[in-house]
Amino acid sequence: MPRGIWYSCAGRALARAAPFMPTGIVPHSGPRPFDLERVRADFPILTRLVRGKRLVYLDTAASAQKPARVLDAVDRFYREHNANVHRGVYTLSEEATRLYEGARVRVQRFLGARDPREIVFLRGTTEALNLAAFCLSTRWKPDDEIVVSALEHHSNLVPWQLAAERTGARIRVIPLNADHSLDLDAFDRLLNERTQVVAVSHVSNALGCVAPLREISERAHAVGALVVVDGAQAAPHLPIRVAELGCDMYAFSGHKCYGPTGIGVLYGRLELMQSLPPYQGGGEMIRSVSFERSTYADPPHRFEAGTPDISGAVGLGEAIDYLESWDRDSARAYERALLEYAIERLSTVDGVRVLAGGEEPAAVLSCVLKGIHPHDAATILDQDGIAVRAGHHCAQPLMELLGVPATLRMSLGLYSGRDDVDAFVVGLRKVREWLG
Ligand code: PLP
């Protein structure tokens, strides 16, 4: 027995949870064909009025609304199972652990990961990308290079900048083609033996462009670089198979996938995660602690210091089951048709310019209105219960590149319909009348 205090809660955690894990997964009876009216009936908030009008929620890219079964799962957790995970030998703690680890297995399945140990629960995409940048940068040398794209959300730029400042590495940026897709020829020219990481968003939150991840991964791996993906806007809309995409890490947020806020995921290839140092120190992430030093638990617990967001993970597991309860191909086809409808309808409004989002954008549409600030437009739209986002969408460098201070962005969820798009278009006409 080594000197010091032996304290190994995380080490016991998976072992204790393991026998319970399979029963933590509630099987569902195959995906249903997409049905808008049935989807809408699942979301209690959609029945409320805003300023006396039907809620037209077109800001799902910022945060999705929650189906009743997610709300119920979180409520049930606190009413019936609440206890801390991994530590207790009593019934409630074992139930909570089973539910928490069961959610991890659901996420593993959702992403097509090989092993639940590849799934780390964190606060959201932002924290996941901070973890990635912090842990990966421990290996960088001055003059190493990190490649990001011009489309990135600040969450997939600032953490890399912080890590670059600490290590002397440099950030390089993939420019865009005229339709705002990534310029892959320029990307090729950026890659070299100093490239450590390529960090790109799967779907751009500002323009909806979908990145060709497989190609990006192949080219990055050819020079020995790792590929880290910001999947915040992709996970709710596209089927994700991390192995097929070829990425090394993939981050997404629960609240954009119809789950609770405060919970998110970092997928990391097991061998990679096993080779990384911890991100934060504290309980649960250690194997042993003495006054002099500590040794660390294996992934995923090495990266989950402290009490995790247990109810959040339970809610996220339920949200994933909900998403997967609909046939995702038909849901995706529906969303694409609705986006095309929106592009067509918006082009009928005087002075509106839709900003292209690559060839097949996903669920996000940005536009600018001649002579009208997007904030003013969004404020007027709110008078009619229409929720859209105006601003730089945490993508200031992209706005600079586009030559606009901000855009007006509508984004779709499973519950969005033509009536929402029509209300938006009518609202924009009103904005033009008032301000144009
Ligand atoms: N990346 C993208 C592309 C996003 O759209 C967002 C949020 O809008 C984030 C990262 C950050 O997500 P979160 O705030 O949930 O951490």
Side-chain angles (χ1 to χ4, degrees), residues 113-253:
R114 281 173 308 161
D115 194 303
R117 291 173 295 171
E118 300 183 310
I119 305 301
V120 179
F121 283 125
L122 296 152
R123 277 194 299 131
T125 307
T126 303
E127 189 175 34
L129 293 169
N130 273 279
L131 185 159
F134 176 85
C135 293
L136 293 176
S137 66
T138 55
R139 308 161 160 191
W140 302 347
K141 303 179 300 303
D143 294 330
D144 277 346
E145 295 182 358
I146 312 310
V147 174
V148 298
S149 92
L151 289 167
E152 297 316 308
H153 188 283
H154 298 163
S155 294
N156 199 26
L157 177 58
V158 182
W160 302 108
Q161 288 175 339
L162 291 170
E165 272 168 31
R166 264 198 323 272
T167 56
R170 285 195 302 154
I171 307 278
R172 317 224 33 207
V173 181
I174 312 171
L176 305 181
N177 295 313
D179 67 353
H180 305 136
S181 57
L182 301 184
D183 180 341
L184 292 186
D185 293 333
F187 173 54
D188 275 340
R189 290 192 294 276
L190 290 176
L191 292 172
N192 61 60
E193 71 287 353
R194 291 186 302 278
T195 313
Q196 293 293 332
V197 173
V198 174
V200 288
S201 50
H202 195 172
V203 170
S204 147
N205 69 308
L207 300 177
C209 320
V210 182
L213 281 187
R214 217 188 142 73
E215 252 177 285
I216 290 175
S217 298
E218 277 168 11
R219 296 182 194 194
H221 288 157
V223 296
L226 295 168
V227 176
V228 178
V229 178
D230 171 351
Q233 296 299 341
H237 303 288
L238 308 177
I240 313 293
R241 307 320 290 159
V242 283
E244 283 167 33
L245 296 174
C247 56
D248 300 286
M249 288 180 162
Y250 195 100
F252 74 94
S253 296

Side-chain angles (χ1 to χ4, degrees), residues 56-83:
V56 175
Y57 190 74
L58 289 170
D59 198 19
T60 293
S63 201
Q65 299 301 348
K66 319 302 172 203
R69 60 187 271 187
V70 168
L71 306 176
D72 293 344
V74 173
D75 184 68
R76 200 166 48 244
F77 172 77
Y78 281 120
R79 286 179 190 279
E80 297 176 18
H81 307 289
N82 180 49

Side-chain angles (χ1 to χ4, degrees), residues 7-21 77 81-105 116-117 119-121 283-286 297-310 313:
Y7 190 73
S8 177
C9 34
R12 289 201 312 261
L14 266 180
R16 184 171 293 286
F20 299 99
M21 268 198 237
F77 172 77
H81 307 289
N82 180 49
N84 213 330
V85 287
H86 301 150
R87 314 181 176 161
V89 290
Y90 54 88
T91 303
L92 279 189
S93 179
E94 286 179 349
E95 286 174 3
T97 303
R98 187 191 70 206
L99 288 165
Y100 181 71
E101 295 300 338
R104 198 189 304 278
V105 176
R117 291 173 295 171
I119 305 301
V120 179
F121 283 125
E284 295 292 311
M285 51 73 72
I286 47 80
D298 292 328
H301 299 109
R302 182 184 305 170
F303 305 104
E304 293 181 358
T307 300
D309 182 357
I310 307 162

